[in-house]
Amino acid sequence: QTRKDGYNHIYLYNTDGKLIKQLTKGGWEVTDILSFDSSGKNIYYQSTEVSPLERHTYKLNIKSGEITQLTKVNGTHRSSISDDGSYMFDTYNSTEIPRIAQYIDLKKGKKDIILTADNPLEDYNLGEMTIGTIKAGDGTTDLYYRLIKPANFDPNKKYPAIIYVYGGPHA
């Protein structure tokens, strides 16, 4: 992996250190290389390709460059792949889903959900949450925000505001 194009991507080199080809590219980050299958033909990785607010799991065929998205449900996925690439254990959550854990047969596409977590906030009166983007000063770069309004919000009232700035990656 390297950031030679400005984003963290996967490159293929020979044993002498000579670049053969770039395997992933685009305005997104490869966040983790999970494994190779036992044949050595495929790499499994996670990335922000769908959205910087999500993590999804992909299979990349090294020879053809074909990429297959293995996780489709919106959210942050954490996956493990079996040695032969036939099975995946995936846990994920999102703003709507507290957590789901599942085994997936990647050959048959069959999913067995083994855990669906209860929502620990369901008994609380929470305000409306909105996630969106605004443009940075350059007029091009998207900056993501989360706006949480008070419970029982009244647009005719004034409320105190809390601004939290995350200065991490991509900020």
Side-chain angles (χ1 to χ4, degrees), residues 34-35 46 57 78-82 87-91 106:
L34 301 172
S35 66
Q46 291 194 298
T57 305
R78 289 164 295 287
S79 305
S80 299
I81 310 294
S82 65
Y87 300 95
M88 176 171 69
F89 177 72
D90 179 52
T91 63
L106 295 173

Side-chain angles (χ1 to χ4, degrees), residues 10 23 33 35-36 41-45 58-60 62:
I10 304 170
L23 296 174
I33 294 180
S35 66
F36 292 82
K41 295 178 181 177
N42 298 294
I43 298 173
Y44 296 87
Y45 68 92
Y58 298 84
K59 177 176 89 169
L60 164 67
I62 297 170

Side-chain angles (χ1 to χ4, degrees), residues 21-121:
K21 65 181 174 177
Q22 183 174 354
L23 296 174
T24 60
K25 59 179 100 175
W28 46 272
E29 297 273 321
V30 170
T31 57
D32 196 9
I33 294 180
L34 301 172
S35 66
F36 292 82
D37 63 15
S38 55
S39 71
K41 295 178 181 177
N42 298 294
I43 298 173
Y44 296 87
Y45 68 92
Q46 291 194 298
S47 80
T48 62
E49 185 173 355
V50 170
S51 164
L53 303 177
E54 299 185 17
R55 299 293 178 275
H56 286 276
T57 305
Y58 298 84
K59 177 176 89 169
L60 164 67
N61 182 286
I62 297 170
K63 186 175 182 179
S64 71
E66 179 182 350
I67 296 173
T68 304
Q69 184 177 348
L70 300 177
T71 55
K72 306 284 187 187
V73 177
N74 293 348
T76 301
H77 293 260
R78 289 164 295 287
S79 305
S80 299
I81 310 294
S82 65
D83 289 343
D84 66 355
S86 295
Y87 300 95
M88 176 171 69
F89 177 72
D90 179 52
T91 63
Y92 66 94
N93 65 322
S94 70
T95 56
E96 292 84 30
I97 300 170
R99 183 171 59 149
I100 289 181
Q102 59 187 346
Y103 284 108
I104 302 170
D105 181 327
L106 295 173
K107 304 289 186 210
K108 297 178 184 174
K110 183 176 183 268
K111 297 178 185 180
D112 290 316
I113 295 176
I114 59 170
L115 172 77
T116 300
D118 292 330
N119 183 350
L121 302 175

